Amino acid sequence: MTAPQVYVSFPGTAREALGFYAAVFGGELSLHTNEDFGRTDGPPDAIAHGELSGTVALAGSDTPPGGTSVRLEGVMLSLLGTAEPEILHEWFNKLSSGGRVVDPLAPKPWGASDGQVIDRYGLHWLIGYEPGADA
């Protein structure tokens, strides 16, 4: 790995959330339960480790009892220029479903196109591309 990977502690929604991200971004999803790992610090079917690999990589687990789940403030997951504009618009629209658009993905005064969305699981995304890319 050449860059940090985002690892999210979900409040009991890891299976659902990671499945959602796999549906949005594609890639390969692997999920392992507490039972798979022999863990007893939560329900046997809770996700002890899940990982989405592909164009967008993301990992996470269910928060064990007493643990802290995801709360992002002042942090965005940036997907600037990571795919063709058409794909970036598709991702933005899918992430918006059940979430909240902070700033529509559209041309900005400085020439780039970008936008922000907080998805239904609380992750804040910055998605965009530079001029000259076809939309």
Side-chain angles (χ1 to χ4, degrees), residues 3-26:
Q5 182 180 38
V6 174
Y7 198 101
V8 181
S9 295
F10 293 98
T13 59
R15 180 183 308 275
E16 179 184 316
L18 292 169
F20 171 74
Y21 298 124
V24 170
F25 301 117

Side-chain angles (χ1 to χ4, degrees), residues 22-90:
V24 170
F25 301 117
E28 196 165 318
L29 178 61
S30 63
L31 297 173
H32 305 280
T33 63
N34 282 343
E35 184 174 41
D36 294 339
F37 286 173
R39 289 178 55 177
T40 59
D41 60 338
D45 63 341
I47 299 301
H49 176 72
E51 188 167 1
L52 176 62
S53 58
T55 303
V56 175
L58 186 67
S61 62
D62 286 319
T63 304
T68 303
S69 59
V70 66
R71 281 190 317 257
L72 294 179
E73 293 182 20
V75 175
M76 289 183 275
L77 305 178
S78 173
L79 296 176
L80 296 173
T82 57
E84 294 298 316
E86 179 180 311
I87 299 297
L88 293 168
H89 279 275
E90 181 181 314

